[in-house]
Amino acid sequence: MPRERAVSEVKEPHSISLKVLRLSRPSLSEQHSLPKATPSNQSPELDELSRQSHAYPSHSTDDPFILSPLLTLPPAFGNAYIGETFSCCLSANNETTSITTSVRISAEMQTPSLTLNLELGGDERQTADLDPVMSLQKIVKYDLKEEGNHILAVTVTYTEAPKRVDYGEGEKGAPGRVRTFRKLYQFIAQQCLTVRTKIGSLSGGRAILEAQLENMGDGPISLEMVHMGTTKGWTATSLNWQGSTGRGDGQRNPKDTPMLGSRDVMQVAFLLYPEETEEGWEEDVAANDKKILGQLSIEWRSACGDRGYLSTGRLGLHV
Amino acid sequence: MPSLPPASPVKGHTRASSTDERRVSVPRRRTKGPLDLGDPPFKDHPAPTSVAATTTSPPSSPTTPKQRMSAGLFDMHPPAISRDFTYLLHPQNFHPLPQHTIPAAFRAPAHQPTASTPLHTLLSTGHFRAAAITAANRLTNSTSPTPLTIEEIFKLWYIRLSSLMLIGSTSTAAQEIKVFSDLGSNFYRDARGGHLVPWELRVLAVRLQAIGVSDWRRSIALYYELAREARGEVLKREAKPDSPEHNAEGASLWRGRLCDLGIRVASALVEMGDLAAASRHLEGLRASVDDHELKVVLCLLYVRIGNLAAAKKVLPAVGGEDIREGVLCALILMGEAKWAEAAAAWKEISDTKRIEEGGDMASNNLAVCLLYMGDLKEARRVLESLIDGGTSFTGLTFNLSTIYELCSDNSKVLKAGLAERVAAQGKEMTGSSFKM
């Protein structure tokens, strides 16, 4: 769970509260369907028992499967993984009994190496005037790329309702103060998929790339694509399941998409060979005598479709 | 209303003492059962003894002509069963139920049934907690003038256990089912090999016993045991049109049970967390081409796994005459984060289908989708209008409670208000349904 810290300039309670909900994919409700009663035992009340054991009242009582199409919102913050898009719903709510004006939300993400301002989606209004009990929602999205501590810093600015002050000759409204507060949500981005690679040279100038993919996450993932993008002068042939490169998947059978359970390891391999060009072999040799062959990229989806994408650094062959 | 089943007169109803009692008494009674073969019904009818004694062969196994003949005889004269089921009536079998899981709104006397409310009313009005207690009271009430019949005992047990599950006390049910020990034992079969315990209780027991001993593999083995019996019953009834056992209605009942077990095995695999095995199992089920239900199940599993491409591929086989295809399609769109398209799809379903035709689920899902688009206000309105329309179920109140938590510092008050409204509808729900 993220740690939440509030930074505020005055101790006086704020007119606006800020709430955050992590938006990983909604989940399919689970149900433990009660078996149908034996015909001789059937009665309306036993039917009611069976009906109530399903995720929602109109669910067919003939279907005992644990998963139902009913969606529920994420129950907890969960783990944040590198390669996945981190998304949150931010809600600024008017907690007072009077109108609060010019409510604005802004957010920035502090990663171990940089701090950047986030673009906010959701409600189209940049600033909003909120009636009592009303809220302004924004959706923040950020592709997690770094391992370690992240802080989502959300700043809310608003203008308090004018205070009614009696000046003797009739009422005059004193302009409301502009106030601001900031809340920090700290979380750790972890590796979901670790990739260990090994390149060996073969005869004829060819090379073989082997990679071990390990699911470090807490749930299963579907490996949608494992692709070796080669640098100029090299071609790669996938030695993996059909359709694994995500390209030209005419005869691809999605049933074959491998599923990696938590801590499962899968081995993939690519055969690399130099392309013959008119000027001979064009090689990208780095300063440290390393032939750069290309980059391995992997796409996966976890529960209910949450998508992840990872690309290795440039992989090379020592010469 | 009494909150506990009547305690044993000798000891207080404490957890420790009841556990001890069970440890001593239950195994002894159980061993007595299967060894009771010398009892009068068996003495009088030696032929069925041999059927019952061959425990290892399932009742479905091909019977010799002689045995079939004797079985036919018993069709006309069902043997009197004398089994001692009094161990199922002991107060120690039943654990007290905690009160604190129920929000205050539901504990208000106005929403509580009286102690005299009959069991069937409790069930039909959704008072499953009270139903669980009443069922236990009926089972333990030794002062009743007419003793309970075997059928009544098992029916009350079924109501007790399933009500416990519905109020979120599955672990208690898993403890209580232990008193039955091995439901596969011959003790629970009559002289003809027929099972004395109703099918629904046997199926229910599988999952509860697996939870009780924390062994999911066992539940899969037990489902297969039941499936073997079901397959045998289907074959027996389909066998020859001129045989006395031929019965088309019975065959279709057992075939339905067999299909049901196939899906339950997949459910158990999902519950174990082995989603890959679940998908292999479902892909491998030999179903007819028009078994749309199975395709729906498979599609849902692929969505859960995150293999949206496979889910899409199953989709055409689901058939479009119902809302099924539309529902699955919208779920896949949400998996792909196409929120606006998915919201339109949910809206179309919820606008055209009534609550009892799937509109409840579609509206709930529309609200979830709207939240992902940042439209909390509309999401809240959709869910609240469902509640106002008299619909309430755990997923719905959970989602609305989550939205209340997002909307205000004061979510406790909002959630308590929601519980009040649901309580007024008569049905009882637990605190976890309201994130309390």
Side-chain angles (χ1 to χ4, degrees):
Chain A
M1 275 302 285
R3 257 184 329 132
E4 186 184 303
R5 279 183 285 156
V7 185
S8 175
E9 81 280 25
V10 245
K11 293 287 178 213
E12 213 178 308
H14 279 280
S15 315
I16 297 285
S17 71
L18 177 73
K19 301 284 169 187
V20 172
L21 176 71
R22 164 99 185 269
L23 296 179
S24 32
R25 289 286 191 277
S27 32
L28 301 174
S29 287
E30 293 196 355
Q31 57 189 9
H32 300 291
S33 159
L34 288 171
K36 283 177 97 177
T38 313
S40 59
N41 274 350
Q42 249 162 14
S43 61
E45 60 268 21
L46 287 188
D47 289 349
E48 179 65 14
L49 264 175
S50 165
R51 201 168 67 88
Q52 292 292 344
S53 68
H54 290 87
Y56 52 94
S58 70
H59 193 282
S60 155
T61 48
D62 289 333
D63 174 8
F65 193 47
I66 187 168
L67 301 174
S68 80
L70 187 86
L71 294 170
T72 44
L73 293 167
F77 186 87
N79 291 325
Y81 294 114
I82 299 165
E84 295 186 348
T85 303
F86 174 85
S87 177
C88 273
C89 174
L90 312 174
S91 182
N93 316 301
N94 186 355
E95 300 285 349
T96 65
T97 49
S98 45
I99 186 164
T100 305
T101 54
S102 308
V103 180
R104 199 173 74 237
I105 307 178
S106 63
E108 61 178 37
M109 183 69 82
Q110 297 166 14
T111 75
S113 68
L114 57 110
T115 299
L116 76 169
N117 286 315
L118 299 177
E119 268 191 40
L120 299 179
D123 199 319
E124 281 162 15
R125 296 173 291 177
Q126 281 304 310
T127 61
D129 298 343
L130 296 181
D131 284 330
V133 209
M134 286 295 131
S135 308
L136 172 71
Q137 271 86 44
K138 289 287 181 184
I139 304 283
V140 31
K141 284 194 180 106
Y142 178 74
D143 291 333
L144 295 171
K145 296 182 193 80
E146 285 179 69
E147 191 166 1
N149 250 336
H150 284 65
I151 295 169
L152 173 69
V154 185
T155 308
V156 177
T157 313
Y158 63 95
T159 308
E160 275 185 337
K163 286 210 174 76
R164 286 174 185 272
V165 187
D166 198 347
Y167 285 105
E169 310 141 20
E171 285 196 345
K172 265 187 194 173
R177 274 184 305 168
V178 174
R179 295 186 66 186
T180 183
F181 68 92
R182 196 169 144 91
K183 268 187 166 182
L184 306 176
Y185 299 89
Q186 188 180 334
F187 62 93
I188 293 169
Q190 297 165 274
Q191 290 277 3
C192 176
L193 202 64
T194 58
V195 184
R196 285 180 285 269
T197 58
K198 187 177 105 182
I199 298 187
S201 54
L202 300 173
S203 60
R206 295 174 305 160
I208 180 117
L209 167 76
E210 293 168 81
Q212 274 187 353
L213 315 177
E214 181 172 1
N215 177 7
M216 307 293 283
D218 54 359
I221 58 169
S222 272
L223 275 182
E224 288 212 318
M225 183 205 79
V226 181
H227 176 70
M228 179 72 190
T230 48
T231 51
K232 209 174 162 198
W234 286 87
T235 311
T237 304
S238 163
L239 305 176
N240 310 307
W241 71 98
Q242 212 166 39
S244 60
T245 57
R247 281 143 179 85
D249 51 1
Q251 342 98 352
R252 174 182 173 213
N253 187 353
K255 272 198 286 185
D256 299 337
T257 305
M259 204 194 88
L260 260 65
S262 185
R263 308 304 296 213
D264 278 358
V265 181
M266 169 147 191
Q267 176 114 1
V268 294
F270 290 87
L271 185 64
L272 297 141
Y273 44 94
E275 273 175 346
E276 283 193 49
T277 57
E278 283 179 15
E279 313 96 73
W281 295 350
E282 196 179 308
E283 284 174 3
D284 184 1
V285 180
N288 56 357
D289 287 340
K290 210 172 159 188
K291 261 192 270 184
I292 300 300
L293 305 179
Q295 279 182 307
L296 187 65
S297 47
I298 302 140
E299 258 180 53
W300 70 89
R301 284 190 190 267
S302 54
C304 296
D306 258 322
R307 190 177 163 275
Y309 174 82
L310 205 69
S311 174
T312 63
R314 302 210 295 167
L315 303 170
L317 182 65
H318 286 281
V319 287
Chain B
M1 190 188 64
S3 61
L4 305 176
S8 108
V10 188
K11 288 181 182 177
H13 196 92
T14 63
R15 205 181 140 73
S17 66
S18 63
T19 310
D20 287 348
E21 287 270 336
R22 247 195 341 270
R23 239 177 234 155
V24 179
S25 62
V26 175
R28 194 187 57 215
R29 285 173 195 284
R30 191 186 124 236
T31 47
K32 186 187 165 203
L35 298 174
D36 271 351
L37 293 176
D39 269 6
F42 298 97
K43 272 183 191 151
D44 295 350
H45 308 284
T49 315
S50 64
V51 180
T54 52
T55 37
T56 45
S57 72
S60 56
S61 65
T63 48
T64 63
K66 188 184 162 200
Q67 281 169 332
R68 207 166 47 219
M69 206 173 65
S70 57
L73 266 175
F74 281 106
D75 273 335
M76 286 173 281
H77 307 286
I81 303 145
S82 76
R83 285 278 195 282
D84 184 9
F85 285 121
T86 47
Y87 65 94
L88 294 175
L89 309 177
H90 288 185
Q92 304 95 298
N93 294 337
F94 304 99
H95 296 231
L97 303 180
Q99 271 283 348
H100 61 82
T101 54
I102 300 181
F106 294 94
R107 292 199 296 260
H111 303 315
Q112 283 292 333
T114 59
S116 60
T117 311
L119 191 51
H120 63 88
T121 312
L122 293 175
L123 291 174
S124 52
T125 53
H127 286 98
F128 298 117
R129 196 188 149 74
I133 293 166
T134 306
N137 285 344
R138 292 263 308 270
L139 283 165
T140 51
N141 184 6
S142 51
T143 57
S144 165
T146 47
L148 293 168
T149 64
I150 298 175
E151 289 77 21
E152 281 170 328
I153 291 176
F154 289 134
K155 188 174 176 185
L156 287 169
W157 262 100
Y158 180 73
I159 290 171
R160 165 78 184 178
L161 295 171
S162 39
S163 297
L164 286 178
M165 282 174 69
L166 290 182
I167 59 167
S169 297
T170 302
S171 55
T172 306
Q175 290 306 313
E176 294 188 357
I177 191 87
K178 285 183 176 170
V179 71
F180 280 87
S181 279
D182 182 10
L183 275 167
S185 114
N186 255 3
F187 177 67
Y188 289 105
R189 291 190 181 274
D190 63 21
R192 286 163 49 208
H195 215 284
L196 299 172
V197 180
W199 183 256
E200 57 267 26
L201 183 52
R202 295 172 68 193
V203 174
L204 180 70
V206 171
R207 178 166 174 267
L208 291 179
Q209 288 179 331
I211 294 172
V213 297
S214 312
D215 183 1
W216 289 107
R217 286 155 203 267
R218 190 182 134 86
S219 71
I220 292 177
L222 289 174
Y223 280 136
Y224 271 93
E225 276 295 310
L226 291 177
R228 189 168 63 159
E229 184 173 331
R231 218 169 35 239
E233 297 288 340
V234 172
L235 291 177
K236 204 158 79 182
R237 282 166 176 77
E238 276 180 341
K240 289 173 198 138
D242 52 344
S243 89
E245 281 170 333
H246 180 80
N247 177 346
E249 204 182 313
S252 99
L253 170 74
W254 281 101
R255 212 177 297 113
R257 287 175 172 175
L258 191 57
C259 292
D260 180 84
L261 289 170
I263 306 291
R264 284 183 195 276
V265 169
S267 298
L269 288 167
V270 170
E271 209 167 1
M272 279 167 74
D274 198 342
L275 300 178
S279 69
R280 280 196 303 275
H281 166 74
L282 288 173
E283 289 276 6
L285 280 184
R286 261 188 294 166
S288 55
V289 193
D290 56 344
D291 191 347
H292 304 302
E293 287 295 335
L294 183 63
K295 299 294 175 195
V296 172
V297 162
L298 193 57
C299 193
L300 280 173
L301 179 64
Y302 278 133
V303 170
R304 168 70 183 78
I305 289 173
N307 191 344
L308 300 179
K312 274 185 198 166
K313 192 151 186 210
V314 178
L315 207 52
V318 164
E321 78 280 5
D322 198 7
I323 61 166
R324 288 180 298 213
E325 190 175 359
V327 167
L328 294 167
C329 214
L331 287 176
I332 294 170
L333 285 171
M334 289 184 78
E336 291 171 329
K338 293 175 181 163
W339 307 113
E341 285 173 59
W346 291 126
K347 182 136 184 37
E348 201 200 318
I349 300 171
S350 68
D351 283 350
T352 52
K353 295 291 168 188
R354 284 177 296 145
I355 293 295
E356 59 275 17
E357 293 173 330
D360 48 0
M361 174 264 299
S363 300
N364 170 81
N365 289 0
L366 169 64
V368 170
C369 205
L370 289 168
L371 180 74
Y372 281 71
M373 295 161 73
D375 196 349
L376 192 74
K377 194 176 155 193
E378 181 64 10
R380 178 174 169 176
R381 191 198 64 76
V382 169
L383 295 182
E384 285 181 338
S385 69
L386 268 178
I387 298 276
D388 292 340
T391 307
S392 56
F393 48 94
T394 295
L396 172 63
T397 53
F398 177 87
N399 285 337
L400 190 49
S401 299
T402 308
I403 286 181
Y404 285 157
E405 285 177 355
L406 255 177
C407 278
S408 167
D409 270 340
N410 226 352
S411 61
K412 268 187 191 158
V413 176
L414 291 169
K415 288 192 279 188
L418 174 63
E420 289 280 354
R421 271 188 289 167
V422 173
Q425 294 176 10
K427 204 172 102 183
E428 192 171 275
M429 287 168 94
T430 53
S432 59
S433 305
F434 301 91
K435 298 189 90 174
M436 287 179 181

